[in-house]
Amino acid sequence: MASFIQRQFVVLSFITAFLFVMTGVLSLGGNKLMIASSTVQQAATHISSLAILGWMGQEIPVLSEIVQSGSDRRTNSVSGFLFQLATSIQPGDLRSLLGRELPGMVTTDDARFVVAGKGASLSDFYIEYPPHPKQVIDASDAIPLSPKPAENETDKTAEPLKPIAKPNTGGKKVVYVYNTHNRESWYSETKPVGSSVDHPTRNISMVGKHLSEALNERGIGADVSTDDIYQELLNQKKDYALSYAQSLQVVKAAAENNRELHYFFDLHRDTAPRDRTTVTIKGKTYARVLFVIGKRNKSFEKNEAFATELHKLMEEMYPELSRGVMEKGAKTDHGEYNQSISPGSLLMEIGGTENTLQESYNTAEALADVFAAYYLKAEKVDKPASDEPAKR
């Protein structure tokens, strides 16, 4: 034991002497160690806003409650961050050590299906790939746009039964559709660059617009965001990881401008293979829907109940269109998805990279049918405002 202590003392003495000598040399030479602001900024991009707020919350307890930072102090501590930055291993999470090497390891109890659709598997656990810088700025790399689909793809006789009566929001806009990762696209519309399949204009935002129009046609007042979230991040020189913080500003502004908004739908495009994200119903092909709930939201049970209701209705009207309802814990991706703004706030994965724009359009029409049926049912039941799933 004594020899071990002596060895440790010698090592520490050597390190101290080395630092003392180096400090003296730098001082005699008139050198000053300066850290460029660009270096600091680059290092800061690796720190999530939730981690920073979590550190601040250790000194300001009320701040921790407001930002809903993670409950695992190891992942939000300064030492934990430094260890993760150096090794890419997240303390307390074995998945970060083995998950990228062993298929299925990435899916632990931090993510689970609340309601599983046909063929649902946690092996389809999606990963959010940031757009390639060249691809999102330079649209000239895109392949020629896909031709208009054949007429039989939009045959109305192939659609399942719609609600006989129309819901009526009385001219009020109650739904807000937006896209946090607004440039997510499909192989049919652009060519991939690395792991990214994105396009500046031919992307998931087109599906969001189509859903808004379909809802309005069915008597549901809906607005759609036209904000290019990724371009705003580029303009502000922010990291892609801050996409949800950026889209939250858009959603909050919309909610403040219109207090009648109760439903907020964030549409994404998944990365699961086509055989998992596609279904044919009565001769028409659809991109399947996955509802994602973030458990960082303290009231996530309400959002989850709302998603489950939509899933059940979808199973009745469009069998197998829904892939189910998945919840993600605090250690998974963002984990909140702006859903704390309303119990009627949902993230929906519409198909995958191997689906087509037309298949996604078909799904937008089906989703409008399902939500119209849900809203019509809510009108007939005439629930009090406090019981309405999506009232804030």
Side-chain angles (χ1 to χ4, degrees):
M1 183 65 179
S3 60
F4 175 77
I5 296 177
Q6 290 176 351
R7 286 198 300 270
Q8 294 295 319
F9 178 77
V10 170
V11 171
L12 291 174
S13 299
F14 177 79
I15 294 174
T16 302
F18 175 77
L19 292 175
F20 180 79
V21 172
M22 289 300 299
T23 302
V25 171
L26 292 174
S27 299
L28 292 174
N31 295 320
K32 293 183 179 180
L33 183 61
M34 301 293 292
I35 302 177
S37 60
S38 59
T39 303
V40 176
Q41 182 178 8
Q42 184 177 4
T45 60
H46 295 283
I47 310 176
S48 70
S49 57
L50 290 175
I52 295 176
L53 291 174
W55 300 340
M56 295 174 63
Q58 295 179 10
E59 299 297 329
I60 310 174
V62 70
L63 186 61
S64 296
E65 299 178 3
I66 295 175
V67 301
Q68 302 176 9
S69 57
S71 59
D72 193 341
R73 294 184 178 273
R74 291 172 298 178
T75 60
N76 287 332
S77 66
V78 176
S79 58
F81 163 71
L82 294 175
F83 180 79
Q84 183 177 354
L85 185 64
T87 64
S88 297
I89 300 174
Q90 183 174 334
D93 191 356
L94 185 62
R95 295 171 302 170
S96 59
L97 177 62
L98 302 176
R100 302 303 178 191
E101 302 299 329
L102 301 179
M105 189 66 183
V106 72
T107 56
T108 65
D109 59 347
D110 204 39
R112 71 181 185 92
F113 275 102
V114 180
V115 182
K118 183 177 180 181
S121 171
L122 285 178
S123 63
D124 295 337
F125 188 94
Y126 80 89
I127 302 172
E128 298 171 352
Y129 296 106
H132 191 280
K134 179 181 178 183
Q135 188 170 15
V136 298
I137 298 174
D138 184 5
S140 62
D141 283 340
I143 61 176
L145 300 181
S146 58
K148 186 177 180 180
E151 186 65 26
N152 60 357
E153 283 195 7
T154 57
D155 182 11
K156 297 298 182 181
T157 61
E159 295 184 357
L161 182 65
K162 297 180 183 179
I164 298 175
K166 261 191 174 184
N168 187 356
T169 61
K172 299 182 296 185
K173 302 291 186 181
V174 298
V175 177
Y176 190 74
V177 184
Y178 68 105
N179 308 97
T180 294
H181 297 153
N182 60 289
R183 296 194 174 187
E184 292 177 332
S185 189
W186 311 268
Y187 291 128
S188 62
E189 303 298 332
T190 187
K191 61 184 180 181
V193 176
S195 58
S196 301
V197 184
D198 300 272
H199 193 277
T201 57
R202 305 286 291 187
N203 52 47
I204 193 65
S205 65
M206 300 175 71
V207 182
K209 181 181 178 182
H210 195 76
L211 174 59
S212 176
E213 293 171 349
L215 287 169
N216 281 297
E217 290 174 359
R218 288 155 178 76
I220 304 292
D223 270 335
V224 61
S225 170
T226 57
D227 292 80
D228 188 341
I229 300 298
Y230 187 71
Q231 188 59 51
E232 292 174 6
L233 291 174
L234 289 179
N235 294 342
Q236 301 176 44
K237 298 181 179 180
K238 292 182 178 179
D239 190 84
Y240 187 71
L242 298 177
S243 296
Y244 286 100
Q246 190 68 30
S247 65
L248 180 59
Q249 297 180 25
V250 173
V251 172
K252 282 184 175 180
E256 290 174 1
N257 291 333
N258 179 11
R259 301 302 299 176
E260 301 292 343
L261 290 174
H262 300 308
Y263 303 92
F264 298 85
F265 298 156
D266 186 7
L267 303 190
H268 292 247
R269 181 268 300 140
D270 204 350
T271 57
R274 180 176 175 82
D275 62 339
R276 300 290 181 89
T277 63
T278 313
V279 65
T280 300
I281 306 173
K282 295 186 178 180
K284 181 183 288 189
T285 307
Y286 299 83
R288 299 181 72 194
V289 181
L290 174 65
F291 299 95
V292 181
I293 303 299
K295 291 182 67 176
R296 276 190 187 272
N297 171 20
K298 291 183 178 180
S299 302
F300 77 92
E301 294 94 344
K302 296 179 181 179
N303 303 73
E304 197 170 272
F306 174 45
T308 302
E309 283 296 314
L310 291 184
H311 165 81
K312 291 178 179 178
L313 266 176
M314 190 171 287
E315 283 293 281
E316 295 176 9
M317 300 175 65
Y318 293 85
E320 300 181 15
L321 179 59
S322 174
R323 294 169 59 196
V325 180
M326 173 187 282
E327 69 177 26
K328 294 189 174 184
K331 297 178 182 178
T332 309
D333 297 328
H334 183 267
E336 203 274 346
Y337 309 115
N338 303 340
Q339 291 172 359
S340 58
I341 195 169
S342 166
S345 178
L346 295 178
L347 187 156
M348 289 179 271
E349 295 283 341
I350 308 294
T353 52
E354 298 176 14
N355 287 105
T356 66
L357 175 58
Q358 182 58 46
E359 290 168 346
S360 301
Y361 276 166
N362 293 343
T363 301
E365 296 277 344
L367 185 56
D369 286 341
V370 171
F371 183 75
Y374 167 85
Y375 198 88
L376 182 62
K377 181 180 178 181
E379 281 186 323
K380 289 181 177 179
V381 174
D382 193 23
K383 292 183 179 180
S386 60
D387 293 335
E388 185 72 33
K391 299 294 184 184
R392 288 176 290 135

